[in-house]
Amino acid sequence: MVGPRAWIGGLFNRSANRRNERFHDYHLTPPQEERLQRLQERLQTPFDESRPDHQAALRDLWRFAFPNVVLNGMISEQWKDMGWQGPNPSTDFRGCGFISLENLLFLAKNYPASFQRLLFKQGGNRATWEYPFAVAGINVSFMLIKMLDLFSEKPRCLPGMNFVRILGEDEAAFDVLYCVAFEMMDAQWLAMHASYMEFNEVLKVTRRQLERELSLEDIDRIQDLPAYNLVYQAQKVTLDNFRRDLNYEDRLNYEDRDHF
């Protein structure tokens, strides 16, 4: 290409090169470097179905999902009820490793309302053929790892750089971001009236939105992301319902005392 357009293209390329140089030249603080290294070590841990601690983590996830249902075994058709592809969940971890199970457990322990809503597809006009919860969760983990460039020595993109800065202040930043991303993905799923075959497209849209939010200048915590409101609202609705039900029980007890 020649002429003015070629000059404009060259200008953009030089600007992009300068940005890339800035991404490569930045330095990590000691806390950032230490926590990034620990996170990257987590990324390198495969799921090992022979390890007792990995088996225990998987059983914990089952108890969070179905507290009143006895699990028949580590290999069981019951696992399909949680959204695993087959009776042995370990085969689904090959693409991401143990960290994806840790992410699901973090969601269950710290944001139980979101966990239950996403697992049982509560709310919204749902598709006839819904995405499988557990496998979707693994895909969200892998999407975040790629988006943040966590397989590199240090991230080379603006969202990744901002994430490492946040990580330096909060070691749980990746797990919290995972919870936000899962809620975002489900919100996009509903907004796009998607079906199972469109899951990858929903994931791409979710990634683009997260990249935009993580590129904002005034983000100091994952909780500062606009999308964090999705997680917050899920917890708030559950708490409000609990208080409403508690008040209802209090009224019943009061009426019973008057009656007798």
Side-chain angles (χ1 to χ4, degrees), residues 14-77:
R14 287 193 292 273
S15 299
N17 289 336
R18 285 196 295 271
R19 288 197 299 271
N20 288 334
E21 289 173 3
R22 177 166 61 88
F23 294 163
H24 283 289
D25 290 342
Y26 75 99
H27 296 286
L28 301 178
T29 66
Q32 292 170 355
E33 187 172 7
E34 181 180 349
R35 290 178 174 178
L36 178 60
Q37 183 176 359
R38 283 204 292 266
L39 177 57
Q40 290 173 333
E41 288 172 358
R42 291 175 62 192
L43 303 184
Q44 301 300 323
T45 304
F47 180 83
D48 185 349
E49 60 182 322
S50 68
R51 286 181 55 167
D53 57 332
H54 287 200
Q55 293 180 17
L58 199 51
R59 283 194 295 268
D60 285 345
L61 185 65
W62 176 269
R63 282 191 287 268
F64 278 113
F66 306 107
N68 299 317
V69 180
V70 176
L71 178 65
N72 294 330
M74 298 306 294
I75 299 179
S76 169
E77 293 294 325

Side-chain angles (χ1 to χ4, degrees), residues 9-220:
L11 178 63
F12 285 146
N13 286 334
R14 287 193 292 273
S15 299
N17 289 336
R18 285 196 295 271
R19 288 197 299 271
N20 288 334
E21 289 173 3
R22 177 166 61 88
F23 294 163
H24 283 289
D25 290 342
Y26 75 99
H27 296 286
L28 301 178
T29 66
Q32 292 170 355
E33 187 172 7
E34 181 180 349
R35 290 178 174 178
L36 178 60
Q37 183 176 359
R38 283 204 292 266
L39 177 57
Q40 290 173 333
E41 288 172 358
R42 291 175 62 192
L43 303 184
Q44 301 300 323
T45 304
F47 180 83
D48 185 349
E49 60 182 322
S50 68
R51 286 181 55 167
D53 57 332
H54 287 200
Q55 293 180 17
L58 199 51
R59 283 194 295 268
D60 285 345
L61 185 65
W62 176 269
R63 282 191 287 268
F64 278 113
F66 306 107
N68 299 317
V69 180
V70 176
L71 178 65
N72 294 330
M74 298 306 294
I75 299 179
S76 169
E77 293 294 325
Q78 290 174 286
W79 288 110
K80 295 180 182 179
D81 296 337
M82 198 191 295
W84 302 99
Q85 295 184 88
N88 186 0
S90 65
T91 60
D92 290 327
F93 287 111
R94 292 170 184 165
C96 199
F98 186 61
I99 193 171
S100 55
L101 176 53
E102 291 180 312
N103 290 156
L104 285 168
L105 277 171
F106 185 91
L107 174 64
K109 293 175 181 178
N110 294 276
Y111 301 98
S114 289
F115 180 81
Q116 292 291 320
R117 194 189 71 78
L118 293 166
L119 171 62
F120 295 111
K121 307 297 191 299
Q122 298 168 347
N125 184 16
R126 296 285 173 176
T128 303
W129 195 10
E130 282 284 323
Y131 63 84
F133 169 77
V135 174
I138 292 177
N139 276 273
V140 171
S141 296
F142 188 71
M143 179 268 289
L144 288 178
I145 293 168
K146 297 289 287 184
M147 182 190 80
L148 299 172
D149 195 24
L150 293 179
F151 286 123
S152 298
E153 182 179 356
K154 59 184 180 181
R156 297 166 295 182
C157 58
L158 183 56
M161 290 171 57
N162 284 340
F163 168 76
V164 172
R165 177 172 53 80
I166 296 169
L167 184 65
E169 302 296 327
D170 180 9
E171 192 160 11
F174 183 80
D175 299 275
V176 177
L177 182 60
Y178 170 85
C179 300
V180 175
F182 209 149
E183 279 282 9
M184 283 184 71
M185 185 278 295
D186 188 74
Q188 291 289 354
W189 175 273
L190 292 174
M192 295 169 63
H193 305 287
S195 62
Y196 181 78
M197 299 303 293
E198 298 168 293
F199 179 78
N200 286 336
E201 182 59 32
V202 172
L203 209 57
K204 290 178 183 177
V205 174
T206 302
R207 172 173 173 162
R208 288 197 293 269
Q209 180 61 30
L210 266 179
E211 286 174 332
R212 284 193 290 268
E213 294 197 11
L214 278 169
S215 297
L216 298 173
E217 294 182 355
D218 57 346
I219 302 299
D220 297 316

Side-chain angles (χ1 to χ4, degrees), residues 242-259:
F242 172 77
R243 288 170 175 165
R244 182 198 61 201
D245 294 341
L246 184 63
N247 291 336
Y248 177 70
E249 291 294 330
D250 289 343
R251 289 198 303 271
L252 284 180
N253 292 335
Y254 179 78
E255 291 169 1
D256 287 344
R257 286 195 300 272
D258 284 353
H259 179 72

